[in-house]
Amino acid sequence: MSTHADTHAHEDDHGHHHKETFVTKYIFSQDHKMISKQYLITGTIMGVIGVLMSIMFRMQIAWPEEPNILFEALLGKWAPGGVMDADIYLALVTIHGTIMVFFVLTAGLSGTFSNLLIPLQIGARDMASGFLNMISYWLFFLSSVIMIISLFVEAGPAAAGWTIYPPLSALPMAQGGSGMGMTLWLVSMAIFIASSLLGSLNYIVTVINLRTKGMSMTRLPLTVWAFFVTAIIGVVSFPVLLSAALLLIMDRSFGTSFFLSDIFIQGEVLHYQGGSPVLFEHLFWFLGHPEVYIVILPAMGMVSEIMASNSRKPIFGYRAMIASILAIAFLSTIVWGHHMFISGMNPFLGSVFTFTTLLIAIPSAVKAFNWITTIWKGNLQMNTAMLFSIGFVSTFITGGLTGIILGDSALDINVHDTYFVIAHFHLVMGISALYGMFAGVYHWYPRMFGRMMNKNLGYIHFWVTAICAYGVFFPMHFIGMAGLPRRYYTNSAFPLFDDLANVNVVITVFAIIGAAFQIVFLYNFFVSIFYGKKAPQNPWRSTTLEWTAPVKHIHGNWPGEIPHVYRWAYDYSKPGHDTDFVPQNIPLKEGEEELQH
């Protein structure tokens, strides 16, 4: 399946035949490196909006009914006298979840790093289709804009929770956030799914068809394996959410009742009958659980790469790592029912989903043990990317352990829809995925921008973020076990929870500090683009192909012939070599054996 370098020889001088303008180079670019930057910067802007929302609703939970000047300034009519309205609280939770899961984590990891690394690491000039790649970014940008516009409609943005369960999402008259805001949410997500599918198909075709000479599948870096399998999961599962969204639009606008039955509003019987909101749950979570791995698998691949590079050791259990990626991908499609244990599910079916959910812990544990073994007795380079990678393993294990409780139908019932669930998925998916993204940015920043980020600012960013992340989500396990329900805009009506009020204040203080210190990262990121120290070609002394391309970006990646590959991606500290790393494009010495991995 490998393609010879000379297949792309006609592209060697791509970009020299016509002078690129500002518009063709920076806006409607078909260069995968520029598109990855567009995804990253758009995702970063969306992330700032999502985090700001979380700070607002955390302040509401910590100090309910107290006037807040921030609410009055940002929410206007939704915070009369500075006191947050109950409707806008749920809307903020809804849009925060949507933005962070889809627009920050999916696009920030897959969109950014699949685009940046797949062609560079497999030895390709560009993606299989640069035009489709450009279209996928602009569809993503359009969907982001529509999601932000939905915040400004008169009746308020979508407010049915990020899972948009019917009937709140299916009846435009149910509440303010069920009207135009919900319609814009559905339109935005439909466009986002189209973007994801175009991107995923491009990644799959590129990995299968455009590998350079010698780049067999067992010589691919784990990053490419992760991006490749993530794209396959996306192609399988995203259309299911699209079908759910289309059926929901039909229920809302065309009088069908796929998800509605026996609805009463203020004593009046509506005409809907025969549908089931539980059907929507099945469709949503058939995407929703694979989505967790669409987010986390690219982070896993990048952490594997960064840990091997900064431990100066080969990755431990390369083939086991690939097998676990494939096992996670398969199992992720048959565990969706563990989100629905209290929806009236047959107990036998619940036990089946419990079994498959606990089964997925095995490949996840294989990866965790392999990361730990990789750094064991390594010559560790504790740069910022390595710190975030180690932080990723920590939060992944911490959050994963609570997943065993939530994956068991008998145990889950006790903490379902409490803060215990919030703590679990934010640690295992939200924080872990963000750590993977930060690690990737710090590690490949020299490849993206030709400059180095400030190391000391990176250390400040990591340590404050790590302390605050645990400060926010660790106490949530305990208030969840105490029964505190999620999505309530105030708990002051329940004397049962009065003792937990101080814990919520502590959580909110950690959240505010942690969010404020992300400004350190943003400052470091944007200032380093212009004033950072010039990067050498291979600053981390890594073995993969992206570090053989010149620092100066050219559309086509390598000025001459594409490098050929002679060895696997992790020849670190190999006996018989003068340096402690041997790039993939260096031929084997006479008598040298390729490592058995």
Side-chain angles (χ1 to χ4, degrees), residues 57-348:
F57 62 69
R58 275 306 326 165
M59 291 168 78
Q60 164 63 23
I61 296 167
W63 302 288
E65 316 303 334
E66 289 186 24
N68 188 310
I69 192 169
L70 181 68
F71 295 168
E72 201 162 17
L74 293 178
L75 300 177
K77 70 170 185 175
W78 298 107
V83 178
M84 185 183 290
D85 185 80
D87 288 342
I88 200 65
Y89 175 84
L90 189 55
L92 288 173
V93 172
T94 301
I95 304 298
H96 162 79
T98 305
I99 284 177
M100 298 308 285
V101 170
F102 295 110
F103 293 89
V104 178
L105 297 178
T106 305
L109 285 155
S110 283
T112 300
F113 292 102
S114 295
N115 262 307
L116 177 69
L117 295 177
I118 286 176
L120 283 166
Q121 290 194 334
I122 68 172
R125 295 285 182 203
D126 205 326
M127 284 290 176
S129 171
F131 179 74
L132 275 187
N133 207 14
M134 178 189 76
I135 296 293
S136 73
Y137 166 72
W138 281 104
L139 286 175
F140 167 70
F141 180 82
L142 178 61
S143 67
S144 302
V145 170
I146 293 172
M147 189 61 71
I148 299 306
I149 288 172
S150 78
L151 298 175
F152 300 98
V153 297
E154 188 175 354
W162 80 276
T163 54
I164 59 160
Y165 285 171
L168 280 182
S169 58
L171 294 170
M173 72 291 284
Q175 57 174 349
S178 299
M180 177 57 75
M182 190 70 242
T183 302
L184 289 172
W185 192 101
L186 290 165
V187 170
S188 171
M189 286 309 300
I191 296 170
F192 174 85
I193 292 165
S195 160
S196 292
L197 289 174
L198 287 179
S200 295
L201 290 169
N202 222 346
Y203 307 149
I204 292 167
V205 173
T206 304
V207 172
I208 291 174
N209 285 337
L210 297 186
R211 303 191 308 279
T212 187
K213 185 177 180 182
M215 181 62 86
S216 63
M217 293 298 279
T218 50
R219 285 177 174 169
L220 286 175
L222 288 171
T223 36
V224 177
W225 267 106
F227 299 144
F228 177 60
V229 173
T230 299
I232 293 171
I233 302 174
V235 168
V236 169
S237 58
F238 264 119
V240 180
L241 181 63
L242 182 60
S243 68
L246 291 175
L247 294 179
L248 196 55
I249 289 170
M250 293 178 74
D251 275 8
R252 289 171 57 81
S253 305
F254 300 107
T256 59
S257 54
F258 291 105
F259 306 130
L260 294 169
S261 183
D262 304 327
I263 301 290
F264 293 77
I265 290 189
Q266 295 177 337
E268 182 188 346
V269 185
L270 301 190
H271 67 275
Y272 299 103
Q273 56 184 354
S276 170
V278 176
L279 170 61
F280 180 86
E281 288 189 46
H282 281 290
L283 292 173
F284 181 89
W285 287 115
F286 190 83
L287 160 90
H289 204 81
E291 170 65 17
V292 172
Y293 295 100
I294 288 171
V295 163
I296 207 77
L297 276 178
M300 287 177 166
M302 293 192 292
V303 162
S304 302
E305 180 74 28
I306 291 165
M307 280 195 163
S309 181
N310 288 302
S311 300
R312 315 311 295 164
K313 279 176 63 184
I315 191 77
F316 183 85
Y318 173 82
R319 287 177 189 266
M321 289 293 236
I322 295 172
S324 63
I325 289 173
L326 295 171
I328 285 170
F330 170 69
L331 290 170
S332 74
T333 61
I334 54 171
V335 297
W336 78 90
H338 67 219
H339 297 271
M340 300 169 55
F341 285 144
I342 65 166
S343 65
M345 179 183 287
N346 182 305
F348 173 74

Side-chain angles (χ1 to χ4, degrees), residues 378-545:
N379 176 20
L380 303 186
Q381 318 292 305
M382 284 299 188
N383 52 41
T384 316
M386 184 62 163
L387 287 174
F388 271 111
S389 297
I390 294 169
F392 169 92
V393 178
S394 168
T395 53
F396 184 71
I397 293 171
T398 311
L401 288 172
T402 55
I404 296 172
I405 295 167
L406 294 170
D408 187 305
S409 54
L411 298 175
D412 172 74
I413 289 168
N414 302 287
V415 289
H416 193 88
D417 268 347
T418 69
Y419 271 85
F420 192 90
V421 180
I422 303 285
H424 160 72
F425 80 75
H426 275 85
L427 276 178
V428 80
M429 177 187 164
I431 298 298
S432 296
L434 279 175
Y435 281 3
M437 192 163 89
F438 285 138
V441 170
Y442 281 106
H443 187 75
W444 281 287
Y445 192 89
R447 182 68 275 160
M448 294 180 91
F449 297 103
R451 294 181 183 269
M452 307 293 285
M453 291 179 79
N454 184 296
K455 191 161 72 171
N456 292 330
L457 289 179
Y459 288 152
I460 293 168
H461 176 222
F462 169 74
W463 284 111
V464 176
T465 302
I467 293 165
C468 289
Y470 272 126
V472 170
F473 297 112
F474 204 74
M476 283 189 188
H477 292 95
F478 300 103
I479 62 176
M481 286 191 287
L484 192 70
R486 65 196 283 198
R487 293 181 181 163
Y488 282 26
Y489 84 109
T490 176
N491 299 297
S492 53
F494 306 100
L496 172 68
F497 300 130
D498 286 350
D499 292 344
L500 305 179
N502 289 337
V503 182
N504 262 325
V505 172
V506 169
I507 290 171
T508 301
V509 169
F510 273 118
I512 292 169
I513 295 169
F517 269 83
Q518 300 316 302
I519 296 171
V520 174
F521 168 74
L522 294 174
Y523 173 83
N524 196 358
F525 181 90
F526 287 107
V527 169
S528 296
I529 292 174
F530 304 102
Y531 304 109
K533 195 177 89 178
K534 287 269 178 78
Q537 184 166 343
N538 190 354
W540 315 119
R541 296 164 38 248
S542 296
T543 58
T544 41
L545 286 184

